[in-house]
Amino acid sequence: MRSNRRLRWAAIPIGIAVAIVLAGCTQEQLQGWLPGDPETTNHTSRTIGLWVTSWIVLLVVGVITWGLIIWAAVVYRRRKGQSGLPVQLRYNLPIEVFYTIVPLILVVGFFAFTARDQAVIETPDPDPDVQIEVFGKRWAWDFNYVTDNAYYSGVQADFNADGTINTDNLPVLVLPVDKSVEISIESRDVIHSFWVVDFLYKKDMVPGKTNHMYFTPTKIGTYQGKCAELCGEYHSLMLFTVEVVSQEDYDAYIDALKSGAEAPYGGEGQIGADFNTNQSEPRNGTEGEE
């Protein structure tokens, strides 16, 4: 009779876990509530896979742990007529080895798979189709289309009359679909962070240092970007938009920049470090000057 009762109590957490798994049938749930989808870039499916697999492993560990806690609390509870303490167990070597080795295996496994995927994502592309230089500045963005010798200089987001953010004048970064992209990331003043939310990757922009991102956008659409590093008073307004378009639309946009159709924001040529506020950086050759 007692064994049947124990089985019923042990089945409760298992049933809850199964119900949760069976309920996770939407695309949003299948990708762990991450934004975007596996087809946004050539790296997003890898990131989603790592995230979801990690959560499944951790959920299994949690269910087992919760089940053991509930089982022990029910089976070894003090019953009517009992007094004193139950039999105390200590120095159980097999159990101690188990709860030391298993977490160690999990940590090493998480590290190994994360390092594997990060190595793939961070591998430089020796011959990208498009090279773009991004400058973060308080509180907007400048984009140099290095391959096409064009630029776009963005301005800070502002507000509509009702207090919402005006998204019509956000800086725009245009990328061709299915073309490999190398983005060089720099800062004009303080530390920023370049983050395209649906691309599931971001990179810090550190003054005096150039970082790089390599990816291929694989789905046409409009994506939101923002600064992911607190950089001052108007950090929340340091927004931009990424438009992934066909090669024909990309070429037309570059032509519009060069012809002045996007004035005063864009034009032909490049805007470099001349507008950096940190002119005493060693790489500017002005250190020690007054």
Side-chain angles (χ1 to χ4, degrees):
M1 185 69 177
R2 180 175 296 180
S3 62
N4 291 335
R5 191 180 304 149
R6 292 178 180 178
L7 289 174
R8 284 198 299 270
W9 279 104
I12 292 176
I14 296 175
I16 293 174
V18 171
I20 293 174
V21 171
L22 292 177
C25 55
T26 67
Q27 182 60 39
E28 182 183 42
Q29 292 169 327
L30 290 175
Q31 63 186 47
W33 287 275
L34 289 177
D37 60 57
E39 306 303 323
T40 305
T41 75
N42 62 321
H43 295 317
T44 49
S45 61
R46 181 180 299 274
T47 303
I48 291 172
L50 179 63
W51 173 262
V52 173
T53 302
S54 299
W55 268 109
I56 291 174
V57 172
L58 294 173
L59 180 61
V60 171
V61 172
V63 168
I64 293 174
T65 303
W66 299 329
L68 290 174
I69 291 174
I70 295 172
W71 176 77
V74 172
V75 172
Y76 297 104
R77 71 188 186 280
R78 177 176 291 178
R79 292 175 172 79
K80 185 176 180 180
Q82 292 182 334
S83 60
L85 295 174
V87 176
Q88 302 297 295
L89 299 177
R90 57 176 63 87
Y91 307 124
N92 189 307
L93 186 59
I95 293 179
E96 292 178 2
V97 170
F98 175 79
Y99 67 62
T100 300
I101 295 299
V102 170
L104 180 62
I105 293 174
L106 291 176
V107 170
V108 171
F110 286 140
F111 175 83
F113 285 108
T114 301
R116 179 202 63 182
D117 290 344
Q118 186 171 352
V120 172
I121 293 172
E122 291 288 336
T123 299
D125 188 336
D127 187 25
D129 297 314
V130 178
Q131 290 180 298
I132 295 174
E133 185 177 34
V134 176
F135 284 96
K137 59 185 183 181
R138 290 183 296 186
W139 286 274
W141 308 84
D142 291 339
F143 306 125
N144 280 330
Y145 295 87
V146 179
T147 306
D148 301 286
N149 194 35
Y151 74 88
Y152 181 100
S153 182
V155 296
Q156 177 183 321
D158 57 7
F159 291 99
N160 296 312
D162 60 359
T164 59
I165 295 177
N166 179 8
T167 59
D168 295 335
N169 297 323
L170 293 183
V172 178
L173 175 62
V174 179
L175 302 174
V177 70
D178 293 328
K179 300 294 183 180
S180 59
V181 178
E182 176 190 314
I183 294 185
S184 301
I185 301 171
E186 303 179 45
S187 171
R188 295 202 184 280
D189 36 54
V190 299
I191 296 178
H192 301 286
S193 187
F194 181 81
W195 182 25
V196 184
V197 179
D198 286 0
F199 288 7
L200 304 181
Y201 210 69
K202 56 188 175 182
K203 187 65 70 74
D204 284 348
M205 317 173 85
V206 181
K209 177 180 175 60
T210 302
N211 286 327
H212 301 275
M213 293 177 65
Y214 308 92
F215 60 89
T216 300
T218 54
K219 184 177 181 180
I220 291 177
T222 300
Y223 306 97
Q224 299 305 310
K226 60 180 68 178
C227 176
E229 182 75 29
L230 182 61
C231 56
E233 182 177 4
Y234 298 106
H235 162 71
S236 62
L237 297 179
M238 193 169 170
L239 308 173
F240 65 98
T241 300
V242 175
E243 293 184 2
V244 178
V245 299
S246 66
Q247 183 65 53
E248 293 76 14
D249 289 341
Y250 175 79
D251 293 337
Y253 177 76
I254 295 297
D255 290 340
L257 285 178
K258 291 182 176 181
S259 67
E262 295 291 332
Y265 303 113
E268 187 172 7
Q270 305 282 275
I271 47 175
D274 296 342
F275 295 100
N276 291 3
T277 60
N278 300 325
Q279 290 299 319
S280 61
E281 291 178 5
R283 66 176 178 173
N284 290 335
T286 58
E287 64 275 16
E289 296 183 5
E290 296 183 358

